[in-house]
Amino acid sequence: MELCILADGDEESVVDLQSWLAVDPGTAQLPITTVAGHGPTMSALEALNVVLSNTTDIANFALAYVTWRATRPLQLPRPAGSGEQPGGQRLVHGDSTVDIGHLSAEELAKLLRGLNGGTPSGEQE
């Protein structure tokens, strides 16, 4: 399953998340690529693409993400109606965009398994 974590204008947070995932023992082996934007932001980091191959990857990513988020300084909410979330808080998979900034590791793992169509056949959680 490939998912995308949007920078939402906060490239620094997404770079920090990428660094965190690269050194986390559970996620260091995950294929992660950056997506650079074109146009007015010219080469600004817009997103991270992450490939999760199995339920272990999903659980490891969920735990690493929530742990990373807990180390971040408290982010003030954006103004109502702005439609923007602090960087690294929205996940895109296919046609689905989900705010993940408030989810626990268990909730995030459950969401990712659901987006992936449940547990792949033959795998145990």
Side-chain angles (χ1 to χ4, degrees), residues 2-123:
E2 185 173 333
L3 56 97
C4 184
I5 299 173
L6 302 178
D8 285 335
D10 187 1
E11 293 82 14
E12 186 176 321
S13 288
V14 178
V15 169
D16 186 53
L17 175 59
Q18 181 182 25
S19 297
W20 183 275
L21 295 173
V23 298
D24 183 88
T27 57
Q29 83 291 350
L30 293 178
I32 300 173
T33 57
T34 57
V35 178
H38 302 290
T41 57
M42 201 64 119
S43 300
L45 178 65
E46 290 197 355
L48 292 180
N49 281 338
V50 182
V51 177
L52 305 173
S53 301
N54 53 51
T55 55
T56 301
D57 286 352
I58 289 172
N60 287 337
F61 173 79
L63 182 58
Y65 174 82
V66 170
T67 304
W68 167 79
R69 190 182 65 210
T71 68
R72 305 283 300 151
L74 181 61
Q75 304 250 354
L76 297 175
R78 302 285 171 118
S82 71
E84 294 183 19
Q85 297 294 321
Q89 305 293 311
R90 287 195 307 146
L91 177 141
V92 177
H93 175 67
D95 293 335
S96 302
T97 300
V98 182
D99 176 7
I100 60 173
H102 63 286
L103 299 178
S104 68
E106 295 81 16
E107 292 168 328
L108 180 55
K110 182 178 179 181
L111 170 70
L112 292 172
R113 285 191 302 270
L115 289 172
N116 196 34
T119 305
S121 60
E123 285 194 26

